[in-house]
Amino acid sequence: MTDTTSSRPEIGRRVDANGIGTNYLEAGEGTPVVLVHGSGPGVSAYANWRLTIPDLAGEHRVLAPDMAGFGFSDKPGNYSMEGWVQQLDAFLTALQLDKVSLVGNSFGGGLALAFAARWPERVDKLVLMGSMGVTFPITEGLDRVWGYEASIENMRSVLDFFAFDRTLVNDELAELRFRASIEPGMQEAFSSMFPAPRQRWVESMTTPLEQIAALPHETLIIHGRDDRVIPLDNAWQLLQVINRAQLHVFGRCGHWTQIEHAKAFNNLLLGFLRS
């Protein structure tokens, strides 16, 4: 495990996770909570969770890794849900974390579900936000997100699918995310993950419903009513299948619950983790 000396907030510590050099952010003390980001272009743990980590760290030890191919973790190629599950397992093992609460956003929700189904004893509470993990016809938004080709115009178009409030998608944000998407190796890794036809990648991220139904965890499902990337129906499916689940739907909210309703999201998350 190493600390990375950098003035860039998206670069934190680094640990070997099953041969994958994994960049991760860490803050706070207390019961461990691991935040797993989504799969948009230019995404990183910092971009996804920058507004969540400070509030959560007041009560918990918060860890937010960059999954392989994203952010500042290694980009080994041959990406798959199995590989990401193994990386997350190795990440927790390297940090000697026997049991954690998992918070997964979108792709990260699908990853959290797959991990919890395989190692239920290693998960305390489960939070699924705008989550994948069940089958659905791919949306135009997700197809555009996964089909991103690097340019300012394309990044602005992709970001427009994420937010209900279009004022969040300003030129500064588009520029920042575009620059992140063209860091060395990032666009090459991203373009290799989800080539067309992309419905197959939705299916590859599903966990069988009977395995989801067997989950014993207290589960909080969060979704934006106006999400154009991952359909609200996913949340209803998960609510119906997971026995110990509750659902909170934010109106006037797209796929960026943790950004569009940051304070309410953080309070909801903290309350659930306390209960």
Side-chain angles (χ1 to χ4, degrees):
M1 187 187 313
T2 59
D3 285 306
T4 302
T5 56
S6 172
S7 60
R8 299 182 62 172
E10 65 269 38
I11 301 177
R13 298 179 175 180
R14 193 169 185 87
V15 68
D16 184 285
N18 197 28
I20 296 170
T22 300
N23 175 68
Y24 70 99
L25 308 178
E26 181 173 2
E29 297 179 354
T31 55
V33 179
V34 174
L35 309 177
V36 188
H37 60 72
S39 62
V43 77
S44 65
Y46 177 78
N48 209 144
W49 302 114
R50 66 190 183 278
L51 302 182
T52 308
I53 292 171
D55 282 1
L56 209 57
E59 299 183 20
H60 299 276
R61 181 186 179 190
V62 184
L63 302 113
D66 287 341
M67 302 312 298
F70 294 98
F72 293 87
S73 289
D74 284 353
K75 297 164 180 60
N78 300 315
Y79 303 104
S80 67
M81 183 55 74
E82 176 61 25
W84 285 310
V85 168
Q86 292 291 345
Q87 180 195 3
L88 182 57
D89 169 48
F91 173 73
L92 299 183
T93 299
L95 294 181
Q96 301 181 326
L97 294 167
D98 296 326
K99 192 171 189 176
V100 302
S101 290
L102 279 178
V103 182
N105 168 217
S106 194
F107 150 86
L111 176 50
L113 273 172
F115 184 94
R118 185 173 302 186
W119 293 291
E121 72 283 357
R122 301 190 67 186
V123 177
D124 183 8
K125 293 187 174 182
L126 188 60
V127 181
L128 306 170
M129 187 189 80
S131 184
M132 301 188 71
V134 295
T135 188
F136 62 94
I138 192 168
T139 61
E140 180 189 0
L142 183 57
D143 198 48
R144 291 280 292 277
V145 168
W146 280 350
Y148 167 81
E149 296 181 0
S151 74
I152 287 282
E153 294 74 19
N154 288 342
M155 180 59 77
R156 188 179 291 109
S157 174
V158 164
L159 293 180
D160 193 54
F161 278 98
F162 280 88
F164 175 83
D165 181 359
R166 300 302 191 273
T167 62
L168 289 174
V169 185
N170 54 35
D171 290 342
E172 181 182 6
L173 178 61
E175 175 72 20
L176 286 171
R177 289 296 293 265
F178 167 69
R179 292 296 172 195
S181 77
I182 58 171
E183 288 279 350
M186 287 191 182
Q187 180 60 23
E188 293 83 357
F190 186 75
S191 63
S192 73
M193 287 180 193
F194 313 112
R198 298 188 177 89
Q199 182 67 40
R200 55 185 163 154
W201 309 121
V202 173
E203 305 306 326
S204 75
M205 294 183 188
T206 62
T207 295
L209 289 179
E210 62 271 18
Q211 293 183 25
I212 297 176
L215 294 175
H217 314 95
E218 292 284 353
T219 303
L220 174 61
I221 304 162
I222 302 171
H223 218 101
R225 182 193 63 199
D226 311 290
D227 194 332
R228 297 194 295 155
V229 178
I230 304 297
L232 178 59
D233 186 60
N234 277 28
W236 290 114
Q237 286 192 64
L238 292 168
L239 179 67
Q240 290 165 358
V241 172
I242 300 173
N243 185 44
R244 302 175 69 187
Q246 55 182 289
L247 169 63
H248 189 102
V249 178
F250 284 89
R252 298 180 60 81
C253 181
H255 194 54
W256 273 349
T257 308
Q258 83 281 23
I259 294 172
E260 293 191 84
H261 296 271
K263 181 55 70 173
F265 171 81
N266 293 349
N267 288 338
L268 183 64
L269 183 53
L270 283 166
F272 173 71
L273 293 171
R274 289 187 201 116
S275 63

